[in-house]
Amino acid sequence: MSMETNESEIIQDISRRLVEAQRKIRILDSIKWDESIKKDFFQKKAQKLPLVNRDYYLGKPLPFDAVEKQEEFRLILRDTINQLGQYSPVTRLIKRQCEEYCRAVQMLEARGTPSFSELSMELYGSPDDAFYSGGPRLSELGTLLFDVLTALDVQLQSDADMKRYTPQEAQVILESRLSSFFSQHPGKITVMVSDDMVADAAAGADSIKLSQQAMFSDRDLRYLEVHEGWVHVGTTLNGATQPYCFFLSKGSPSSSVIQEGLAVITEVVTFSSYPGRIRKITNRVIALDKVRQGATFVDIYRYFIECGLSEDDSYNQTVRVFRGSTPDGGPFTKDLSYAKGFVMIYNFIRFAISQRHIDSIPLLFAGKLVLDDLPLLNELRNMNLLTAPVYLPPPFRDLAALSAWMSFSLFLNKFSLNEIQKSFRFLLG
């Protein structure tokens, strides 16, 4: 057996072990609140904090032993180092994932305690995060865009925003569209309707779930096709079809930032997004920042009501902020991923184009990853241990148009918006 063959078989074995080890770590399932909590909240006229505390979560035991699960990841990492060496690109990828999964296990063990939120911010980020020294913080994004998006959402309402499709009708439409995109996996991609969801929709490994309680517009169907289908399901399949590093099909928690960032930027560059959609994303940033500053569940519920959401939607959006925590505790910050990821991906693509390294951009779709993984993935590609992504959204399949746009943006960023406003103000009457 050659050294190359032996190495590839070792990587395949490590991949299998990591995929299996993470299987029972289902973060969102482990922190969701029962329907009884919602009923009780509204029975009390939305005036009192939901009855969710440490004991509530202890009554919902995790489907694994936390100590044993962390030891399993430790052994995977130890064996990877022993067999591939400390500085192998695969070892460094496995190390990050194993360490993150261990922190995720610790976070889930800490449900209902202050440590849960602290570990959440370690994995997903904080509203107070800066992108660079002295640079803008995530919390500023929501504040800056709130008024603009609110006005545009009203001005640009059209027939495309009408919630005309039932979940079952949306299911048929999306399955048809996605079967065309995922042509190399005929019949594999399914769309299901579920009555146990906080979000209107969510992607699984090779499926998309739609909430039984939701109705969908034409705009909704378009962004779901792109966001949940092309990106989330697409990167899962791209990772799963890797001949050796198929552990890339499974994302450790912080990969959510890049996943959601890729999905949002793909919405934007395919003209599939819209002000109401982006407003929802930025409102979550504002809500998370309010909780970081001490707001409670009732405070955030009222905030979403003031934003024009229905009582039901306001409750669901507020639960997203507090799930895993307590109604007067710290936030669960996964929903920062959309805004944070968009900013990171946008700036990375601009930088890659400015440096004439556009070949690194498709690597973003190779699987579930973080930006820091890119040099390692490039190294694996050069070693013929990583194959090109099978599925790429059209703007990333042919980067010509995106490169042209981003090239102009390098120059446009030199302009001062304040000065532009002074010069153009008279044009708007």
Side-chain angles (χ1 to χ4, degrees):
M1 181 182 293
S2 70
M3 184 177 298
E4 289 79 5
T5 302
N6 187 46
E7 181 182 29
S8 63
E9 290 181 352
I10 290 170
I11 296 171
Q12 288 174 327
D13 181 60
I14 293 296
S15 287
R16 278 189 287 270
R17 289 175 62 186
L18 187 59
V19 168
E20 182 58 35
Q22 62 79 47
R23 193 176 304 280
K24 290 186 178 180
I25 302 176
R26 292 292 174 260
I27 293 176
L28 299 186
D29 284 344
S30 300
I31 62 176
K32 63 185 178 184
W33 293 4
D34 291 338
E35 188 68 19
S36 61
I37 302 296
K38 180 178 182 178
K39 290 180 180 177
D40 184 66
F41 179 73
F42 284 115
Q43 283 175 356
K44 294 175 179 175
K45 310 299 182 185
Q47 298 296 314
K48 294 187 177 181
L49 297 178
L51 298 175
V52 177
N53 53 27
R54 173 66 169 162
D55 289 339
Y56 173 81
Y57 293 109
L58 291 177
K60 299 176 179 298
L62 299 172
F64 53 82
D65 181 277
V67 174
E68 291 178 0
K69 183 57 66 178
Q70 291 179 76
E71 178 65 9
E72 185 177 1
F73 286 115
R74 190 189 70 79
L75 291 175
I76 291 172
L77 177 56
R78 185 199 66 184
D79 291 345
T80 306
I81 293 172
N82 287 347
Q83 296 178 79
L84 297 177
Q86 181 178 353
Y87 298 109
S88 159
V90 172
T91 300
R92 286 181 282 171
L93 288 169
I94 294 293
K95 183 176 188 292
R96 179 189 64 75
Q97 292 216 17
C98 286
E99 289 175 348
E100 274 198 27
Y101 281 127
C102 285
R103 286 199 294 278
V105 170
Q106 293 163 12
M107 180 182 73
L108 293 178
E109 262 209 306
R111 293 172 300 169
T113 74
S115 295
F116 174 86
S117 183
E118 292 300 320
L119 286 163
S120 161
M121 287 188 276
E122 183 180 330
L123 290 168
Y124 301 108
S126 162
D128 205 36
D129 286 349
F131 289 98
Y132 53 86
S133 178
R137 299 182 184 277
L138 268 176
S139 56
E140 297 174 40
L141 177 71
T143 305
L144 178 66
L145 296 181
F146 181 83
D147 290 339
V148 173
L149 290 170
T150 300
L152 289 174
D153 190 26
V154 173
Q155 292 177 26
L156 296 174
Q157 285 287 315
S158 73
D159 189 59
D161 295 287
M162 288 185 60
K163 303 287 187 179
R164 66 175 81 242
Y165 301 105
T166 66
Q168 290 73 23
E169 290 169 334
Q171 176 185 24
V172 172
I173 294 169
L174 285 173
E175 279 193 341
S176 174
R177 293 180 184 179
L178 293 175
S179 65
S180 175
F181 182 81
F182 294 109
S183 57
Q184 296 191 39
H185 288 79
K188 184 175 176 62
I189 311 305
T190 58
V191 180
M192 300 176 289
V193 177
S194 171
D195 59 1
D196 186 27
M197 296 178 64
V198 174
D200 288 345
D206 53 11
S207 65
I208 294 175
K209 288 184 179 180
L210 303 178
S211 172
Q212 177 66 60
Q213 284 72 45
M215 292 289 288
F216 300 90
S217 68
D218 286 305
R219 291 198 200 278
D220 291 332
L221 295 184
R222 176 56 177 165
Y223 99 74
L224 288 172
E225 175 190 1
V226 170
H227 185 113
E228 305 292 352
W230 293 3
V231 177
H232 290 335
V233 175
T235 51
T236 297
L237 294 177
N238 288 339
T241 54
Q242 289 296 327
Y244 310 113
C245 301
F246 47 86
F247 62 86
L248 290 171
S249 64
K250 305 299 179 183
S252 55
S254 70
S255 69
S256 297
V257 175
I258 299 308
Q259 273 293 294
E260 300 301 352
L262 271 180
V264 173
I265 202 167
T266 304
E267 288 180 47
V268 172
V269 299
T270 56
F271 298 102
S272 305
S273 198
Y274 50 97
R277 165 79 177 142
I278 302 302
R279 184 185 176 212
K280 180 183 290 187
I281 290 171
T282 56
N283 280 356
R284 291 172 185 167
V285 176
I286 294 173
L288 287 163
D289 191 47
K290 287 178 180 291
V291 177
R292 188 186 61 81
Q293 297 180 49
T296 68
F297 187 96
V298 172
D299 296 327
I300 299 304
Y301 171 79
R302 290 171 179 166
Y303 165 72
F304 282 121
I305 290 288
E306 291 169 2
C307 289
L309 274 65
S310 68
E311 291 184 351
D312 197 61
D313 285 343
S314 295
Y315 176 85
N316 288 337
Q317 291 298 316
T318 308
V319 168
R320 292 178 69 111
V321 174
F322 285 94
R323 52 189 169 172
S325 184
T326 57
D328 57 355
F332 174 57
T333 57
K334 182 179 182 293
D335 276 347
L336 286 176
S337 300
Y338 302 85
K340 180 179 180 179
F342 172 81
V343 174
M344 292 177 69
I345 293 294
Y346 176 79
N347 282 313
F348 169 74
I349 292 175
R350 284 201 311 149
F351 176 69
I353 289 172
S354 74
Q355 300 299 305
R356 290 86 164 165
H357 280 295
I358 59 171
D359 60 323
S360 64
I361 296 173
L363 281 176
L364 293 167
F365 293 89
K368 313 295 187 182
L369 50 97
V370 301
L371 281 182
D372 290 359
D373 292 340
L374 288 178
L376 303 175
L377 296 178
N378 190 55
E379 195 173 338
L380 289 172
R381 179 172 60 182
N382 294 337
M383 297 166 65
N384 294 320
L385 291 173
L386 188 80
T387 57
V390 175
Y391 297 111
L392 286 170
F396 296 93
R397 199 178 301 149
D398 179 356
L399 287 164
L402 189 61
S403 298
W405 172 34
M406 292 294 186
S407 297
F408 268 115
S409 81
L410 297 174
F411 176 68
L412 294 175
N413 283 339
K414 294 182 178 293
F415 286 80
S416 165
L417 182 58
N418 288 333
E419 294 302 318
I420 292 294
Q421 288 174 336
K422 292 177 185 176
S423 300
F424 284 4
R425 192 182 305 277
F426 77 97
L427 295 174
L428 299 179

